[in-house]
Amino acid sequence: MNTPSTSAQPALSRRGFLLAGAAAGGGLLVGCGGTNPSTRIGQGSDFSPTGKQVALNAWVKITPDDRVIVAVPRSEMGQGVHTGLAMLVADELDARWDQVQVEAAPIARIYSNTALLLNVSPFLPDDEGLLARLTRATLQNAGYALALQVTGGSSSLRDAWEPLRLAGAAARQQLLQAAALQLKLPVSELTLRDGVVQARAGGTPLRLGELAQAAAQLPAPRELRLKPAAERRLIGQPLPRTDVPAKVNGQAVFGLDVRPPGLVYAAITHCPVFGGALKTLDPAPALALPGVLQAFALGTQAVVVVARNSWLAQQGLLRLAPVWDEGPNAQLQSEGISARLRQAFDQEEGTRFRHEGDAEQVLAQAKTRLEAEYEVPFLAHAAMEPVNCTAQVKGGRVTVWCGSQAPSLARMKAAEVAGVDSEQVTFHVPFLGGGFGRRLESDMVEEAVAIALRTEGAPVKLTWSREEDLQHDMYRPAAVSRFSATLDTQGRPLAWRHRVAAPSIGLDTMRRLMPRLALDSPDKNHIEGAFDLPYAIPHLEVRQLRVATPVPVGSWRSVGHSYNAFFTECFLDELAHAARQDPLAYRLALLERHPRHRAVLQAAAELGNWGQPAPAGRARGLALHESFGALCAQVAEVSLEGGRVRVHRVACALDCGTVVNPDSVDAQLQSAIVYGLSAALMGEITLKNGRVEQSNFPSYDALRLADMPVIRTRLMPSDAPPGGVGEPGTPPIAPAVANALFALTGQRLRRLPLRPQA
Amino acid sequence: MIPLLINGQSHALDADPQMPLLWALRDELGLTGTKFGCGIAACGACTVEVDGAAVRSCVMPVGSLAGKAIRTIEGAPDRTVAALQAAWVQHQTPQCGYCQSGMILAAAALLRQKPRPSDADIDAAITNLCRCGTYQRIRAAIHSAAQALQGSRA
């Protein structure tokens, strides 16, 4: 698409985006109250209290024995979200941490994630202009209007920060008022601390469990005051996570572990070629196996065997020889996709997402230009728990058990498949054995419900093999990036022109979710981390080329940032070296208007001993990247061992605003770095004859303990609201390692995974 | 009927002797703490102890296990497993947690052989895959558990 716009901002993309946003919001963008935190406290009845529990609002229940139960509507996949959400409530409530429990919230609008869609705002992160603020408010309202109960985009704490603290503060005030009525004292004469109400003058303390009933009868407080940071007692502390004890003794129940009575087991194989379809299936060989109950085609895309246990289902599947029509992509190779991405540069100008100065003109007149092409492959998510879902259809009701990141959307899909209303679907979310974006999808739910329609009321557990999991993912897009830049007389970048060709994640996601709204419109996720470059460059142009391929794509930890950080931070490093300047000093000089960026970069440099000699045979590289409302800088120290890249140490600094649980943040940074490093060193999904070549961990491996670098993290002190944490640590690691390899060898590797030439 | 001794309890399993232990544990006996990750012994999520050695149960036919003592993560912890579980909590090691049963039992088998393992011993023994990247804390927790066991022995 050509952009006729000449303004300094991406007018077309913005307009296209707002249009898509309005469509997504279904027109319900005004007055739904989704962004007003106090209306999100909700009613006690929202949190379905059972037995003697008393719900004070949608987020807090109190039991007669003084337990404080916090509603957690986000999926726990190891990021510590259950703990983080409970900490917000408990801190304002002044509960003792050991009396706090968490309970999965029901699916209801009150539990919407209003921060998720902020990740598609096409404005610069620091743009506080009217249009930017209006767009963000619209996106928050859209999350509420769509009742998005979704865990992703590093958005949970960003969303929960105000409403959950307000819910805790409201509960606290009601409990204090109940105590005041009982003791016939003004509230000002009472304290609530460590889960106990006490009169300042002394006397018998009152327990929360004693006060809950009376508190629930009181009207919700009209004015709420949140604690100043200095008075917080839990937020900011490295509290132990609520989910850890059950994860060391086998008691934690993941999606794959549910066992409703009468359970039968299903195995599945999908059409091996993207875009193919089933021609014929003879189910007889599977049915001949004792213990196999059913064998059938599931639409045109898959074949299913149902049996008495998982192993028998797999054995049944092995006996089948479905015949596939391989369709139009039977000759598609990875090289063909690369070529398609490259062709786009010659065929179209693309959508402009950033335009400052006149980069094209300056580059045309420049005496010397630096040009480079970068490329990344498709990636699978490969969570440890393979894709699975358990479903039961009985008496017009559907029950689903699935470790989903998007239960509200998955429930909608389950209802569609079963032909019932969403209210007829009960959706349970057990622990997720890793998410990384794969469990934002609902394909496994649609399949399991479709199978359950045929098992005569018996619940059925569908388990994908690892091979299916790797070969039928919604992949991180492959992408090709081209740069052209020129330097001023001091060596600083004068003009920077960057174009990225990749499939659109937004388009593919919408095609699966709401096909009628799937428009090929400007896609912020495609270009995030490239258009919002923080460096001061007078002539700057960033364009997006959306290129369709037959390979389904989706969100993979850090989404577009996962490749754009590699592109931009490596190319900036190239410019620093071309200018014969230190990569740290070079960046700092371009960040004069961004003190938080400078601080986090300097912190990582200090932690990573930047500027001091590296041990013999090693070199260091650095990278800085902003994503999901957080700034992350990393210094990687690398060597080559027999041609293999070895990463010894990673120093990582993060500015994510207020830190809720520093131990969880440290763990998430380690996790994000390992995930990104596995991709940078090993990750590659390739296609041969329309099929994914990799099949299991030997061909799609990831970092193991023996190759683990020593990771040190530093969290920047901040009183800003929380930013994201789960993803921002992933983008910088690939460029930090690639830049370190350049420092070590003089070889600039512009393709992932990093494979140095001998 | 295949006799199996699991966590000190005798079971008689009516199954094909070729059925891997993993699926017998999970689907037939309801012991779901042992996880399916790859089905080809490449990731270690299904690790159990058989006579004190770490074994990947997804490729271990039940027919080959008669007379052997199998320990899964659900078994009453002996002092080694208990020390590891305590260290795992102390270091807040698990993230998603899916691989951690296998990690703990692989670590238990290591400590039975090498009560004070070096970093290199841990590198060599813990080849299980963790996609959340908990390795740094796993290493620290194994050292802590080894230290605690040493202390309680003295």
Side-chain angles (χ1 to χ4, degrees):
Chain A
M1 189 188 318
N2 283 303
T3 308
S5 159
T6 53
S7 79
Q9 283 291 312
L12 180 73
S13 58
R14 198 161 55 206
R15 212 163 43 230
F17 171 76
L18 285 174
L19 190 70
L28 296 170
L29 300 176
V30 185
C32 68
T35 56
N36 181 348
S38 65
T39 66
R40 292 186 58 203
I41 293 173
Q43 311 292 320
S45 54
D46 294 327
F47 191 9
S48 25
T50 56
K52 291 187 172 166
Q53 298 173 344
V54 178
L56 296 180
N57 54 51
W59 303 93
V60 183
K61 291 196 289 203
I62 292 178
T63 65
D65 59 348
D66 300 328
R67 283 173 294 133
V68 174
I69 303 174
V70 176
V72 284
R74 302 291 168 259
S75 307
E76 182 58 74
M77 44 193 166
Q79 80 279 44
V81 71
H82 285 180
T83 306
L85 295 178
M87 285 173 73
L88 301 185
V89 174
D91 193 298
E92 286 292 337
L93 183 53
D94 278 310
R96 287 192 326 274
W97 184 240
D98 65 6
Q99 71 185 145
V100 176
Q101 288 181 0
V102 298
E103 186 180 305
I107 297 180
R109 184 178 309 279
I110 190 76
Y111 301 117
S112 305
N113 182 341
T114 65
L116 179 75
L117 295 178
L118 290 176
N119 291 327
V120 299
S121 163
F123 293 87
L124 297 181
D126 58 354
D127 187 342
E128 290 301 323
L130 179 65
L131 207 50
R133 283 185 291 130
L134 198 63
T135 301
R136 288 186 205 122
T138 303
L139 290 167
Q140 289 178 299
N141 277 328
Y144 192 84
L146 292 164
L148 288 179
Q149 209 153 320
V150 174
T151 310
S154 302
S155 60
S156 297
L157 269 289
R158 288 192 279 166
D159 169 62
W161 178 237
E162 286 201 11
L164 267 73
R165 285 185 304 145
L166 286 167
R172 178 180 195 276
Q173 204 157 318
Q174 276 169 286
L175 289 159
L176 277 168
Q177 272 163 4
L181 288 170
Q182 187 173 330
L183 299 172
K184 302 189 170 58
L185 286 169
V187 166
S188 58
E189 290 300 306
L190 303 173
T191 61
L192 197 174
R193 196 162 170 151
D194 291 333
V196 170
V197 178
Q198 177 92 51
R200 286 183 201 278
T204 314
L206 293 172
R207 298 178 295 105
L208 299 189
E210 300 176 81
L211 295 166
Q213 279 290 358
Q217 307 308 315
L218 297 169
R222 250 176 284 161
E223 274 186 33
L224 290 170
R225 172 189 160 274
L226 291 174
K227 283 181 183 180
E231 288 174 27
R232 291 178 193 143
R233 295 160 59 82
L234 300 178
I235 292 171
Q237 300 302 311
L239 296 184
R241 275 175 27 216
T242 58
D243 56 327
V244 162
K247 288 178 174 177
V248 302
N249 62 16
Q251 297 308 306
V253 175
F254 295 85
L256 205 60
D257 300 335
V258 301
R259 294 171 58 80
L263 184 64
V264 294
Y265 299 81
I268 192 164
T269 188
H270 298 84
C271 178
V273 182
F274 294 117
L278 184 67
K279 263 208 296 216
T280 58
L281 172 72
D282 172 15
L287 294 169
L289 188 68
V292 166
L293 306 170
Q294 296 184 65
F296 50 83
L298 196 67
T300 61
Q301 291 299 308
V303 169
V304 170
V305 173
V306 180
R308 224 165 29 79
N309 62 47
S310 305
W311 186 68
L312 285 169
Q314 294 158 20
Q315 295 305 299
L317 206 52
L318 286 176
R319 292 184 170 207
L320 295 181
V323 180
W324 305 99
D325 170 0
E326 298 192 347
N329 302 314
Q331 302 303 318
L332 183 68
Q333 325 295 348
S334 283
E335 298 72 27
I337 289 179
S338 285
R340 228 181 263 197
L341 293 171
R342 287 200 171 78
Q343 271 163 22
F345 290 95
D346 305 326
Q347 291 169 348
E348 53 169 323
E349 280 297 292
T351 308
R352 189 160 61 193
F353 264 74
R354 182 89 175 263
H355 186 208
E356 285 169 20
D358 191 344
E360 211 168 342
Q361 178 77 12
V362 172
L363 285 165
Q365 291 169 355
K367 279 198 200 104
T368 54
R369 278 190 299 273
L370 292 118
E371 297 191 330
E373 182 182 279
Y374 284 79
E375 185 170 14
V376 300
F378 291 109
L379 293 173
H381 297 82
M384 287 307 299
E385 181 190 13
V387 166
N388 69 88
C389 177
T390 299
Q392 182 171 28
V393 180
K394 197 175 182 182
R397 289 201 55 86
V398 180
T399 310
V400 177
W401 296 262
C402 183
S404 171
Q405 291 178 247
S408 67
L409 301 171
R411 184 178 67 157
M412 177 182 86
K413 288 292 178 188
E416 268 176 37
V417 172
V420 301
D421 292 334
S422 276
E423 290 67 41
Q424 300 304 307
V425 181
T426 305
F427 202 103
H428 301 282
V429 184
F431 285 129
L432 284 65
F436 313 123
R438 178 63 180 92
R439 292 188 155 91
L440 289 167
E441 306 292 339
S442 301
D443 50 334
M444 71 297 276
V445 177
E446 296 179 53
E447 289 178 351
V449 172
I451 297 166
L453 284 167
R454 306 172 68 145
T455 55
E456 292 165 356
V460 60
K461 183 190 289 184
L462 170 67
T463 305
W464 286 24
S465 66
R466 175 58 63 191
E467 290 77 6
E468 292 295 314
D469 183 283
L470 289 177
Q471 298 183 334
H472 299 281
D473 202 344
M474 284 69 172
Y475 301 88
R476 195 289 302 273
V480 174
S481 152
R482 284 187 186 169
F483 288 98
S484 180
T486 188
L487 307 180
D488 67 15
T489 49
Q490 271 95 57
R492 287 177 306 215
L494 176 66
W496 167 292
R497 188 163 193 264
H498 184 200
R499 290 182 294 159
V500 180
S504 166
I505 298 164
L507 176 62
D508 242 24
T509 302
M510 284 305 276
R511 203 177 269 153
R512 292 189 288 271
L513 211 52
M514 300 173 189
R516 276 178 302 176
L517 294 177
L519 310 168
D520 184 16
S521 52
D523 177 2
K524 182 264 184 182
N525 293 134
H526 172 292
I527 199 77
E528 59 192 358
F531 82 95
D532 42 353
L533 208 65
Y535 302 109
I537 301 175
H539 302 278
L540 183 56
E541 183 179 325
V542 181
R543 284 177 181 270
Q544 160 177 103
L545 306 166
R546 296 184 303 281
V547 183
T549 86
V551 181
V553 294
S555 294
W556 182 98
R557 196 173 195 167
S558 80
V559 198
H561 294 283
S562 71
Y563 50 84
N564 285 319
F566 172 64
F567 300 154
T568 58
E569 280 297 293
C570 285
F571 189 64
L572 192 76
D573 213 66
E574 293 199 48
L575 300 191
H577 286 285
R580 300 180 189 282
Q581 292 184 28
D582 170 67
L584 172 65
Y586 194 73
R587 284 171 171 80
L588 289 172
L590 299 175
L591 292 168
E592 274 169 8
R593 283 159 60 188
H594 292 282
R596 282 176 77 178
H597 290 72
R598 285 174 62 93
V600 76
L601 188 54
Q602 279 166 320
E606 186 187 293
L607 192 64
N609 299 323
W610 188 265
Q612 295 168 37
R618 299 186 189 179
R620 300 192 185 104
L622 63 76
L624 166 71
H625 195 77
E626 176 172 13
S627 61
F628 307 94
L631 311 171
C632 189
Q634 291 170 9
V635 173
E637 187 176 295
V638 310
S639 70
L640 282 175
E641 290 177 2
R644 236 176 110 250
V645 181
R646 178 77 206 237
V647 181
H648 299 271
R649 313 180 73 85
V650 178
C652 175
L654 182 79
D655 179 348
C656 63
T658 298
V659 174
V660 174
N661 186 330
D663 190 59
S664 291
V665 177
D666 172 73
Q668 280 304 288
L669 288 174
Q670 292 186 28
S671 175
I673 290 167
V674 171
Y675 202 73
L677 195 52
S678 291
L681 300 182
M682 289 171 253
E684 185 170 32
I685 289 290
T686 54
L687 263 71
K688 190 170 185 187
N689 298 331
R691 300 159 160 80
V692 168
E693 288 189 277
Q694 292 69 28
S695 60
N696 204 317
F697 290 125
S699 49
Y700 192 79
D701 209 350
L703 209 73
R704 308 267 175 161
L705 186 142
D707 294 320
M708 178 71 187
V710 173
I711 296 176
R712 293 181 65 201
T713 64
R714 183 175 292 175
L715 309 183
M716 307 302 286
S718 171
D719 55 7
V725 165
E727 291 164 283
T730 294
I733 189 62
V737 171
N739 293 341
L741 284 169
F742 178 79
L744 184 70
T745 65
Q747 200 181 121
R748 180 58 70 179
L749 298 176
R750 299 191 183 91
R751 193 183 186 290
L752 294 182
L754 299 167
R755 292 192 180 119
Q757 307 294 309
Chain B
M1 286 291 183
I2 298 160
L4 289 175
L5 182 61
I6 300 169
N7 300 329
Q9 260 193 307
S10 299
H11 298 264
L13 189 73
D14 178 13
D16 184 335
Q18 287 306 309
M19 182 182 197
L21 174 63
L22 169 68
W23 297 111
L25 290 171
R26 292 183 53 82
D27 292 358
E28 299 294 328
L29 302 170
L31 295 171
T32 56
T34 305
K35 305 303 186 196
F36 165 56
C38 68
I40 59 166
C43 79
C46 65
T47 302
V48 298
E49 281 191 88
V50 176
D51 290 341
V55 162
R56 295 189 171 175
S57 65
C58 70
V59 293
M60 184 59 57
V62 284
S64 67
L65 293 165
K68 302 198 170 169
I70 298 162
R71 171 191 286 282
T72 75
I73 195 68
E74 290 94 345
D78 62 4
R79 55 194 295 280
T80 303
V81 173
L84 286 163
Q85 288 172 325
W88 244 246
V89 173
Q90 180 204 332
H91 289 274
Q92 293 284 293
T93 301
Q95 290 187 28
C96 88
Y98 194 80
C99 71
Q100 300 290 334
S101 304
M103 288 285 186
I104 288 171
L105 293 178
L110 168 65
L111 292 188
R112 293 184 209 290
Q113 278 200 320
K114 293 199 167 140
R116 287 306 299 268
S118 65
D119 277 338
D121 294 332
I122 294 172
D123 286 350
I126 308 299
T127 57
N128 296 20
L129 188 61
C130 168
R131 289 288 280 155
C132 298
T134 62
Y135 301 124
Q136 186 159 307
R137 294 187 181 200
I138 287 174
R139 185 191 300 282
I142 293 173
H143 283 310
S144 287
Q147 213 157 13
L149 286 165
Q150 205 84 347
S152 69
R153 209 171 271 132

